[in-house]
């Protein structure tokens, strides 16, 4: 029996998140821009149809946006990470073998998990995610991770699959027909530099690569290409990663049961969130290069004025020190706080995370101070583990 490796991918993820909280955006051209509204990092299908490229600077298509009514949003990473966690938690219920590949992609091993029609089973998973999060997803099923990736690509580009492409349910001839349509540059692991070299030797699409000699290409290129060829032929060479990769962002936020008005109470909550986020940061042996703090009132309470604001504070040195992070977050909170509003939610996000090997200490920082900070955080974590 062949394996049933599944890739679940959220459609236009950042845009879809914005649409969940503003349904009026459905069907309209929407783009999400990077920090400081620099480049397009997410585009709705309507924006893609207008020719806007991923990563294209805002100033290049500002006139196009004005002409066609493109709605631009600044990125809200705290929201996106929260929505991602919801999706991944739902998916974890369907298989113990899960690999969170990115903020909007997840591999599941569903081999033997459904005695009946696997395509129908996966459609139910899609429906569950849509009902509980409001997010649309596409799913690809194949005998390997590489084939699951390609199946997902086919599902996204061809509406007749209704969001799910199951290559395992196809005959070999049907599979090959679809693989022939996929350009070599779209195959997982084939980068922009490798694709032209493969085209030079007559490999133009996924089917050509499937039929290539793995040993010959291994000698000429790399063992990774050899593994890709085997995966295209239903042989698993790239296992689901059982070790959870360190998170690239750490978020801690919560809605208040009772609206908060004064700065002092708001600051107490933010301090608690920073402490929890910093503890998670140290658990994965990472250091943060910036901290993002945000507050908002309820968007659903029409009787009260709405206010939301956020601020990203770059840190002079990558750190895991709770006290340093609290000082930065408190400073940012005071900058964005406005008196007279009933705040319903606050949160923090640690980003620009690096490992200990990647960390670059401040040139003028004192080693003794850093050592004292490390020892203090170690004691703090031990006390928290002991006392709660």
């Amino acid at each position: 029996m062949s394996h049933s490796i599944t890739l679940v991918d959220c459609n236009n993820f950042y845009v879809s998140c914005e649409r969940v909280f503003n349904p009026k955006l459905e069907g309209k051209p929407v783009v999400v821009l990077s920090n400081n509204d620099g480049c397009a990092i997410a585009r709705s299908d309507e924006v893609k149809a207008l020719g806007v490229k991923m990563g294209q600077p805002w100033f290049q298509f500002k006139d196009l946006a004005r002409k066609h009514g493109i709605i631009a949003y600044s990125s809200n990473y705290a929201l996106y990470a929260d929505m991602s966690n919801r999706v991944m938690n739902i998916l974890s219920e369907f298989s113990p073998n899960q690999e969170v590949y990115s903020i909007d992609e997840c591999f599941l091993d569903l081999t033997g998990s459904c005695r009946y029609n696997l395509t129908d089973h996966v459609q139910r998973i899609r429906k569950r995610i849509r009902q509980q999060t409001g997010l649309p997803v596409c799913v690809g099923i194949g005998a390997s991770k590489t084939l699951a990736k390609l199946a997902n690509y086919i599902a996204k580009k061809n509406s007749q699959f209704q969001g799910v492409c199951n290559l395992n349910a196809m005959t070999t001839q049907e599979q090959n027909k679809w693989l022939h349509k996929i350009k070599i540059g779209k195959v997982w692991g084939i980068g922009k530099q490798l694709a032209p070299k493969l085209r030079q030797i007559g490999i133009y699409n996924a089917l050509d690569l499937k039929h290539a000699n793995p040993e010959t290409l291994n000698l000429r290129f790399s063992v990774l290409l050899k593994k890709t060829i085997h995966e295209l032929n239903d042989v698993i060479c790239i296992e689901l990663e059982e070790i959870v990769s360190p998170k690239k962002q750490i978020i801690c936020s919560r809605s208040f049961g009772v609206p908060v008005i004064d700065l002092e109470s708001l600051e107490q909550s933010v301090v608690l969130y920073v402490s929890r986020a910093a503890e998670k940061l140290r658990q994965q042996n990472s250091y943060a290069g910036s901290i993002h703090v945000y507050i908002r009132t309820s968007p659903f309470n029409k009787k009260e004025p709405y206010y939301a604001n956020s601020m990203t504070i770059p840190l002079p040195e990558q750190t895991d020190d709770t006290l340093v992070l609290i000082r930065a977050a408190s400073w940012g909170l005071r900058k964005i706080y406005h008196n007279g509003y009933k705040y319903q939610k606050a949160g923090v996000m640690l980003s620009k995370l690096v490992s200990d090997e990647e960390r670059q200490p401040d040139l003028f920082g004192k080693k003794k101070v850093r050592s004292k900070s490390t020892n203090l955080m170690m004691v703090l974590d031990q006390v928290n583990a002991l006392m709660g």
Side-chain angles (χ1 to χ4, degrees):
M1 182 181 70
S2 64
H3 286 79
S4 296
I5 307 300
T6 303
L7 177 67
V8 182
D9 185 7
C10 299
N11 301 345
N12 306 325
F13 181 56
Y14 294 169
V15 168
S16 295
C17 288
E18 299 292 349
R19 283 174 167 170
V20 169
F21 291 92
N22 187 356
K24 292 180 180 179
L25 297 175
E26 201 67 45
K28 295 182 179 179
V30 180
V31 64
V32 174
L33 303 173
S34 60
N35 287 337
N36 300 318
D37 296 343
C39 303
I41 57 173
R43 303 155 297 151
S44 68
D45 291 336
E46 296 81 7
V47 172
K48 293 176 184 177
L50 292 172
V52 176
K53 305 297 183 184
M54 178 65 83
Q56 187 171 346
W58 168 242
F59 73 87
Q60 288 185 1
F61 65 96
K62 188 182 290 186
D63 292 338
L64 184 73
R66 192 179 298 112
K67 180 180 178 181
H68 293 279
I70 296 176
I71 303 167
Y73 274 79
S74 297
S75 51
N76 184 347
Y77 295 118
L79 168 66
Y80 309 147
D82 183 56
M83 296 295 285
S84 173
N85 288 336
R86 294 187 200 182
V87 173
M88 302 311 167
N89 286 336
I90 293 170
L91 291 174
S92 68
E93 298 176 19
F94 292 94
S95 174
N97 300 320
Q98 176 187 25
E99 178 190 339
V100 179
Y101 183 66
S102 68
I103 193 170
D104 62 345
E105 291 179 284
C106 177
F107 285 105
L108 294 176
D109 188 345
L110 296 180
T111 306
S113 66
C114 183
R115 293 188 298 172
Y116 304 104
N117 189 307
L118 184 58
T119 303
D120 291 342
H121 178 61
V122 169
Q123 285 288 7
R124 288 191 287 272
I125 295 176
R126 288 183 72 235
K127 187 176 180 181
R128 171 95 175 271
I129 293 171
R130 184 75 175 199
Q131 287 176 337
Q132 296 192 4
T133 69
L135 295 172
V137 301
C138 279
V139 184
I141 306 169
S144 65
K145 287 173 74 173
T146 301
L147 285 171
K149 267 276 194 179
L150 292 175
N152 188 279
Y153 177 81
I154 293 169
K156 280 191 172 183
K157 299 295 182 181
N158 299 274
S159 59
Q160 66 261 41
F161 288 97
Q162 297 181 317
V164 177
C165 175
N166 185 356
L167 289 177
N168 286 353
M170 298 182 185
T171 64
T172 301
Q173 289 75 16
E174 287 176 317
Q175 273 195 29
N176 289 345
K177 182 187 75 172
W178 286 105
L179 294 181
H180 184 265
K181 294 180 179 181
I182 300 175
K183 295 179 180 180
I184 189 63
K186 298 296 182 181
V187 178
W188 191 36
I190 306 298
K192 292 182 179 180
Q193 293 183 336
L194 182 55
K197 296 177 182 178
L198 291 175
R199 286 194 289 266
Q200 286 177 356
I201 59 173
I203 299 176
Y204 298 100
N205 54 60
L207 183 61
D208 291 338
L209 187 61
K210 177 182 178 179
H211 290 156
N213 187 310
E215 300 302 332
T216 301
L217 293 190
N218 178 33
L219 293 173
R220 185 162 182 174
F221 296 101
S222 70
V223 69
L224 290 176
L225 190 57
K226 175 183 174 181
K227 287 183 177 180
T228 300
I229 296 172
H230 284 311
E231 291 239 326
L232 290 172
N233 287 278
D234 298 357
V235 179
I236 289 183
C237 295
I238 308 172
E239 300 285 347
L240 264 67
E241 294 183 14
E242 296 178 0
I243 299 174
V244 179
S245 302
K247 293 183 178 180
K248 297 179 180 179
Q249 297 170 333
I250 295 177
I251 293 175
C252 192
S253 64
R254 182 168 294 178
S255 298
F256 308 130
V258 179
V260 174
I261 299 174
D262 61 291
L263 177 61
E264 184 179 353
S265 298
L266 207 56
E267 191 166 12
Q268 288 177 2
S269 298
V270 168
V271 166
L272 177 61
Y273 302 154
V274 173
S275 299
R276 289 177 176 170
E279 189 173 4
K280 293 178 183 178
L281 184 71
R282 292 190 290 273
Q283 285 174 353
Q284 68 173 41
N285 298 314
S286 295
Y287 298 84
S290 71
I291 183 167
H292 182 85
V293 58
Y294 69 94
I295 52 175
R296 68 168 170 82
T297 60
S298 173
F300 307 107
N301 188 351
K302 303 303 181 184
K303 296 179 181 179
E304 298 288 341
Y306 179 72
Y307 175 73
N309 206 346
S310 63
M311 187 176 202
T312 300
I313 302 98
L315 300 169
E317 180 181 6
Q318 294 146 343
T319 184
D320 64 355
D321 191 314
T322 299
L323 301 179
V324 174
L325 295 168
I326 285 174
R327 283 196 294 270
S330 296
W331 180 84
L333 176 64
R334 288 191 290 271
K335 290 288 185 181
I336 62 176
Y337 172 81
H338 278 192
N339 193 20
Y341 289 98
K342 295 181 179 180
Y343 293 98
Q344 185 254 347
K345 189 171 185 179
V348 298
M349 176 177 70
L350 304 180
S351 57
K352 295 185 178 179
L353 307 189
V354 297
S355 64
D356 190 31
E357 294 78 18
E358 298 170 313
R359 187 187 183 200
Q360 295 181 332
D362 182 9
L363 183 62
F364 303 103
K366 297 179 180 179
K367 288 186 178 180
K368 190 177 291 186
V369 173
R370 285 198 292 270
S371 177
K372 188 181 292 186
S373 168
T374 301
N375 293 334
L376 178 60
M377 292 303 107
M378 194 180 300
V379 172
L380 179 65
D381 290 340
Q382 289 172 352
V383 171
N384 285 338
L386 183 64
M387 306 300 293

